[in-house]
Amino acid sequence: MRAISNHLPTAELQALDAAHHMHPFTANGELADKGVRVITQAKGVTLKDSEGNEILDAMAGLWCVNIGYGRDELADVAARQMRELPYYNTFFQTTHVPAIALANKLAELAPGDLNHVFFAGSGSEANDTNIRMVRHYWAMKGKADKSIIISRKNAYHGSSVGSGSLGGMSAMHEQGGLPIPDVHHINQPNWWAEGQDMDPEAFGLARAQELEEAILELGEDRVAAFIAEPVQGAGGVIVPPDSYWPEIQRICDKYEILLIADEVICGFGRTGNWFGSQTVNIRPHIMTIAKGLSSGYAPIGGSIVCDEVASVIGGGEFNHGYTYSGHPVAAAVALENLRIMEEENVVGHVRDVAAPYLKQKWEELADHPLVGEAKIVGMMGSIALTPDKATRAAFAADAGTAGYICRERCFANNLVMRHVGDRMIISPPLVITCDEIDTLIARARKSLDECLEALKEQDLLKAA
Ligand SMILES: *Cc1c(COP(=O)(O)O)cnc(C)c1O
């Protein structure tokens, strides 16, 4: 077989890709017709494609390349670890230095008594661990009936059978027999789309109180845990009203429900603190981590677990684990990523420089005729596209029609901005500079202008 390299013409790479590569969350037949974009290199916040375009990646890959692309230190650490000990497991009374060091580092960084780490290969796997861990925790305490996990509609917790069940994406539940039993979904705190005439804070409180209603309806003796992202990511960067999280914490405390914070996106500086739980001021029993843990340089995830849960689980054998739990190369890369984040004060850069600047520029986009609300927490932002700001109307066209047009305009203007329905979202590398933020905003504004023109031309600027 001929070597497949970056030097082949784009069309040839596209044909080879279409022939044998099934893409995630993609209509592969359609993709083959459109032609896939081939990314060949990246440095800092900039991607390069096979046509030589230089694209500002305002999504940090998939919310993960927090320290930016092209950091040689991580490549060096990976090569060194592969030579020294490329693999060993942590199952049968064995361990290795990268797993020890990373678990200790995470216990130091995590708030409160979150002092114990169960490693996984991804966020999905970590949430599968969490399902089994919280149910087993209650069983160990003699309360095996406490097995229901409450989650939220439009939450994203991964794509395996378990984590996809925790998630509240209806399009995922329609395929493959999800959700598994004993997962219950309440409504999300999405004021823009669902708040109707309510004041945002009253709406936030009402949506939090749905947790209490669900516990009372299902029975306190049946509910094991509540899981949520501090700020929903893949659901469209839904920033909850300030009233939401204090009420959720009150309810979890009152009914002694375990609180799982899915920090896969919010963790490791994304919201301006090390963890999103600190930004929204909650005290989870378990945090799910992945993505920014290694800045995406190696696949690794995990659960950071509090003293109480770890001690109960440790009272017997927990029949669970992955071949790659604590993989030495991935753990070494994650550790080096955290070392760089501390040494370069990346969280401080977000909190004091990048996030305040981005917030100011991002919120100015709300002046654009196509933009309803512009929301942002730290380095994750969203704008809602609307044909009518005053009424917060959705478009008459299928959801995502306008968003897709906008995303295509962004790509044409060398900007990666993703659409979720008709919300446009960003989550740039945390190391982005103010100059680069200016470029991001200028390209976003140009793309919004072009999208507005396209919607007018196609007679799509109509309210539902
Ligand atoms: C991406 C994501 C996951 C799943 O992580 P994978 O590594 O893709 O399995 C889980 N939770 C949240 C909040 C995520 O954004």
Side-chain angles (χ1 to χ4, degrees), residues 361-428:
K361 299 285 165 183
W362 188 252
E363 287 177 348
E364 282 170 16
L365 291 176
D367 300 339
H368 193 278
L370 197 53
V371 176
E373 67 169 4
K375 302 295 276 186
I376 189 157
V377 176
M379 303 299 281
M380 53 196 295
S382 56
I383 50 183
L385 305 182
T386 177
D388 184 1
K389 285 174 192 254
T391 59
R392 309 207 306 273
F395 289 91
D398 289 345
T401 306
Y404 179 76
I405 292 171
C406 187
R407 194 204 66 161
E408 289 299 283
R409 294 324 306 154
C410 290
F411 254 132
N413 290 314
N414 288 335
L415 173 69
V416 176
M417 180 156 69
R418 184 170 149 190
H419 79 108
V420 176
D422 295 318
R423 283 184 94 82
M424 305 305 299
I425 61 176
I426 58 163
S427 167

Side-chain angles (χ1 to χ4, degrees), residues 177-346:
L178 275 59
I180 58 170
D182 282 0
V183 178
H184 180 88
H185 296 89
I186 60 175
N187 283 306
Q188 59 174 336
N190 182 350
W191 176 79
W192 170 265
E194 300 172 6
Q196 295 182 332
D197 296 336
M198 280 179 95
D199 164 76
E201 296 306 324
F203 174 76
L205 204 60
R207 283 290 157 100
Q209 284 162 353
E210 284 195 20
L211 176 59
E212 188 160 27
E213 288 155 22
I215 293 168
L216 293 174
E217 181 195 314
L218 298 163
E220 194 181 338
D221 51 348
R222 289 280 287 119
V223 179
F226 174 65
I227 182 168
E229 307 151 80
V231 179
Q232 283 157 269
V237 184
I238 310 297
V239 181
D242 289 342
S243 57
Y244 183 77
W245 274 112
E247 183 67 1
I248 292 283
Q249 181 69 62
R250 180 191 72 75
I251 295 164
C252 289
D253 288 346
K254 179 172 175 190
Y255 297 98
E256 294 183 33
I257 300 301
L258 295 178
L259 175 58
I260 307 169
D262 187 335
E263 295 268 5
V264 170
I265 289 173
C266 294
F268 306 103
R270 176 63 53 196
T271 67
N273 289 293
W274 274 97
F275 296 96
S277 294
Q278 295 162 320
T279 300
V280 302
N281 197 22
I282 53 171
R283 289 172 280 103
H285 298 89
I286 298 175
M287 296 195 313
T288 320
I289 54 171
K291 295 193 171 117
L293 169 58
S294 65
S295 280
Y297 280 64
I300 184 167
S303 307
I304 313 185
V305 180
C306 71
D307 290 341
E308 154 72 9
V309 172
S311 120
V312 170
I313 293 291
E317 180 170 340
F318 183 34
N319 301 319
H320 176 72
Y322 307 106
T323 301
Y324 297 142
S325 285
H327 190 284
V329 177
V333 168
L335 202 58
E336 179 66 4
N337 173 56
L338 298 177
R339 188 194 67 72
I340 292 172
M341 286 195 61
E342 282 193 308
E343 189 176 291
E344 299 182 3
N345 190 19
V346 172

Side-chain angles (χ1 to χ4, degrees), residues 63 121-125 127 156-159 229 234 262 264-265 290-291:
W63 323 81
S122 67
S124 301
E125 285 181 7
N127 276 327
Y156 189 78
H157 296 300
S159 188
E229 307 151 80
D262 187 335
V264 170
I265 289 173
K291 295 193 171 117

Side-chain angles (χ1 to χ4, degrees), residues 72-86 297-298 328-330 332-333 336:
D72 287 336
E73 302 94 318
L74 297 183
D76 294 344
V77 159
R80 209 181 310 141
Q81 186 59 46
M82 279 202 189
R83 292 200 174 92
E84 194 172 301
L85 179 71
Y297 280 64
V329 177
V333 168
E336 179 66 4

Side-chain angles (χ1 to χ4, degrees), residues 50-62:
S50 56
E51 298 291 279
N53 294 306
E54 298 204 347
I55 308 158
L56 196 161
D57 182 10
M59 281 306 297
L62 268 180

